[in-house]
């Protein structure tokens, strides 16, 4: 109990730093660019246009309103990959600081994830826009998307913490992880509906945790249905396990960072 | 050493052991190749060995010793950057370092933005920074440049800004790794005077240096370290004298550091 109280105190002491670090990344992204914040809106849209041209006629029998289908998966997935990737690099990148002064190290990881989450929230404007433009049937169930957005954040925090600690000891983690996320992209049913995957390969989707978040989110947003309780509980379980494992691993390793940075 | 009731830093039998691989392995690829070829050579290195220490409130505490004596490691352990592998460290109050200035600078940002970021890294809250902001700008003499990005600053300007921030944030315990001369000659004198002022204050200061002059001039108590141990401690004039005499006495060739213990780990 006392340990928790101390943790909270330490965080409160560094609350302002946490805020500044998060805003630093947000500001940095839009500095030196004429379009500024528009980029966060433009890049998923351009991506969507290209993929829609390529795939919508191909998949028109399985998916109607392909652009919305694509975005409901892609935006969440994009948060997961860019969030976990940037979190992975956060400790190594802050080496000069860590070598000199004590700051709670998880703040460095968490601020990266938060700034990335802000980009994600901004990119959701695209989804709303495309839904309106294409006259997509929007129901109140779309609000169930919020729990999924929270859960994938928790999930990504866990993964990001673990990866950031691991990357201190093995610097090439970054390259390996990039290959991994590429593969994950195609195993998450983002550009195609999961039904077209043959039965014998379905396990690749089922064993992919990110897939379940996308499915749940899509059900309440794209299909406008009430959430599937099993799926929601599964996502809750996955994110909690990820958080607990990630934080435990990070805590165990953090005192050794300084020796490897 | 006598600890009294004003103690702010207590070290109890502190030891710091590093495990140093003979070749640095920091990628998975290398790691697996090494494992397959049988074992990774490692050495253990005792950077600190059984340090007992009390620093009291208001002490001007000096640490002196040759290169590699463990001075910087000791500072890192005190300021919480490193956790010792043995013993305990207890610190009351907030510690701020003034080591290598401007570490937290974000070069894309303006000087003003960097003042906030840097002071927050040193553990300060927004209200406090708002209050001392003008003082920092005035002290750094960068009024005309405060709203341009730090990447356009000269290295001297960066150092000035860094020193101005560090000197104005008013920590309870100030940790100095070498007395730094920054900026041009005039600013250097100004910063030295400021540092003397801070030290003359009631504040607790821990200073680590090679310079006998700084030890004599700026501190009251001191320890002399060698090979991770405290050789002697006492009033700084006394320590400085003893250290000087010893250094002149032994102009010895470098011998193998006894703290290295080689071991081969088969994996």
């Amino acid at each position: 109990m006392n340990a928790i109280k101390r943790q909270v105190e330490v965080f409160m002491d560094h609350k302002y730093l946490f805020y500044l670090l998060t805003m630093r990344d947000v500001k940095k992204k839009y500095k030196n660019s004429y379009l500024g914040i528009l980029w966060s809106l433009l890049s998923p849209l351009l991506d969507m246009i290209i993929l829609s041209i390529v795939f919508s006629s191909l998949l028109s029998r399985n998916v109607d309103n392909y652009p919305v289908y694509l975005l409901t998966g892609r935006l969440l997935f994009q948060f997961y990959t860019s969030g976990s990737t940037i979190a992975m690099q956060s400790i190594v990148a802050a080496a000069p600081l860590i070598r000199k002064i004590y700051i709670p190290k998880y703040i460095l990881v968490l601020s990266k994830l938060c700034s990335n989450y802000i980009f994600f929230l901004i990119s959701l404007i695209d989804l709303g826009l495309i839904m309106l433009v294409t006259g997509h049937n929007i129901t109140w169930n779309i609000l169930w998307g919020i729990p999924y957005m929270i859960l994938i954040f928790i999930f990504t925090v866990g993964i990001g913490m673990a990866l950031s600690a691991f990357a201190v000891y093995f610097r090439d983690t970054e390259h390996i992880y990039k290959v991994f996320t590429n593969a994950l992209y195609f195993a998450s049913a983002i550009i195609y509906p999961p039904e077209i995957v043959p039965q014998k390969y379905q396990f690749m989707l089922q064993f992919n945790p990110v897939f379940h978040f996308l499915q749940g989110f899509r059900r309440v947003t794209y299909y406008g249905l009430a959430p599937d309780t099993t799926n929601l509980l599964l996502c809750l379980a996955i994110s909690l396990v990820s958080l607990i494992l990630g934080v435990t691993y990070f805590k165990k390793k953090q005192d050794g960072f300084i020796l490897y940075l | 050493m006598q600890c009294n009731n004003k103690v702010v830093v207590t070290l109890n039998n502190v030891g710091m052991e590093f495990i140093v691989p003979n070749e640095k392995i920091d990628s998975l690829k290398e790691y697996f190749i090494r494992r397959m070829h049988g074992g990774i050579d490692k050495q253990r290195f005792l950077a600190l060995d059984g340090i007992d220490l009390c620093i009291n409130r208001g002490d001007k505490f000096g640490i002196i010793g040759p290169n590699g004596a463990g001075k910087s490691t000791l500072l890192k352990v005190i300021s919480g950057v490193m956790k010792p592998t043995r013993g305990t460290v207890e610190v009351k109050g907030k510690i701020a370092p003034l080591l290598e200035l401007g570490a937290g600078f974000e070069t894309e940002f303006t000087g003003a933005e960097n003042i906030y970021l840097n002071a927050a890294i040193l553990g300060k809250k927004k209200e406090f920074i708002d209050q001392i902001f003008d003082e920092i700008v005035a002290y750094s003499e960068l009024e005309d440049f405060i709203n341009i990005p730090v990447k356009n600053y000269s290295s001297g300007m960066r150092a000035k800004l860094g020193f101005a921030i560090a000197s104005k944030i008013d920590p309870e315990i100030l940790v100095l790794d070498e007395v730094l001369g920054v900026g041009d000659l005039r600013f250097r004198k100004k910063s030295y005077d400021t540092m003397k002022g801070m030290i003359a204050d009631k504040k607790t200061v821990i200073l680590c240096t090679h310079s006998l002059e700084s030890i004599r001039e700026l501190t009251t108590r001191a320890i002399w370290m060698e090979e991770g141990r405290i050789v002697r401690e006492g009033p700084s004039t006394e320590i400085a004298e003893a250290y000087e005499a010893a250094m002149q006495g032994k102009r010895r060739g470098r011998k193998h550091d006894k703290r290295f213990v080689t071991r081969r780990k088969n994996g």
Side-chain angles (χ1 to χ4, degrees), chain A residues 108-120:
Chain A
L108 298 165
V109 185
L110 211 56
S111 68
K112 289 282 180 208
L113 284 162
C114 283
S115 52
N116 240 277
Y117 202 65
I118 292 173
F119 303 144
F120 165 62

Side-chain angles (χ1 to χ4, degrees), chain B residues 98-145:
Chain B
L98 192 102
L99 10 107
E100 292 162 69
L101 299 164
F105 281 163
E106 187 63 63
T107 51
E108 293 284 324
F109 284 9
T110 66
E113 286 169 313
N114 269 298
I115 290 178
Y116 277 89
L117 190 61
N118 220 308
I121 288 169
L122 294 167
K124 292 297 163 191
K125 301 221 155 61
K126 185 174 187 306
E127 299 75 42
F128 182 85
I129 308 171
D130 285 338
Q131 270 174 29
I132 58 167
F133 182 82
D134 290 337
E135 264 180 71
I136 293 175
V137 177
Y139 186 90
S140 68
E141 304 169 352
L142 294 169
E143 289 93 340
D144 299 337
F145 306 97

Side-chain angles (χ1 to χ4, degrees), chain A residues 46-206:
Chain A
L46 294 174
D47 194 72
M48 181 204 80
I49 291 167
I50 294 165
L51 286 167
S52 297
I53 292 169
V54 178
F55 287 109
S56 58
S57 57
L58 207 66
L59 295 165
S60 60
R61 275 190 308 125
N62 308 67
V63 184
D64 43 74
N65 203 350
Y66 187 77
V68 173
Y69 181 85
L70 183 73
L71 277 182
T72 46
R74 207 205 94 116
L75 296 181
L76 237 66
F77 185 83
Q78 181 65 33
F79 165 69
Y80 168 75
T81 42
S82 58
S84 56
T85 305
I86 206 114
M88 173 172 63
Q89 300 156 340
S90 60
I91 296 290
V92 176
L97 218 56
I98 294 175
R99 275 200 293 261
K100 267 167 219 115
I101 182 165
Y102 171 79
I103 35 177
K105 292 171 202 50
Y106 69 90
I107 282 188
L108 298 165
V109 185
L110 211 56
S111 68
K112 289 282 180 208
L113 284 162
C114 283
S115 52
N116 240 277
Y117 202 65
I118 292 173
F119 303 144
F120 165 62
L121 293 179
I122 293 169
S123 71
L124 282 178
I125 296 172
D126 279 341
L127 180 59
L129 222 64
I130 296 298
M131 277 180 143
L132 288 176
V133 169
T134 57
H136 197 83
N137 182 25
I138 301 172
T139 71
W140 281 108
N141 280 323
I142 203 168
L143 291 177
W144 278 100
I146 295 168
Y148 281 105
M149 283 157 55
I150 296 170
L151 288 179
I152 197 153
F153 180 73
I154 297 172
F155 173 71
T156 312
V157 169
I159 301 278
M161 297 276 271
L163 283 174
S164 69
F166 193 75
V168 172
Y169 299 96
F170 300 107
R171 300 292 164 89
D172 54 351
T173 312
E174 220 176 283
H175 308 296
I176 297 166
Y177 190 64
K178 200 167 172 220
V179 177
F180 174 78
T181 51
N182 261 335
L184 201 68
Y185 180 77
F186 291 103
S188 299
I190 294 164
I191 47 178
Y192 58 86
E195 301 83 47
I196 68 165
V197 175
Q199 196 56 42
K200 61 174 176 179
Y201 293 123
Q202 279 285 334
F203 72 93
M204 285 171 83
L205 296 177
Q206 296 304 322

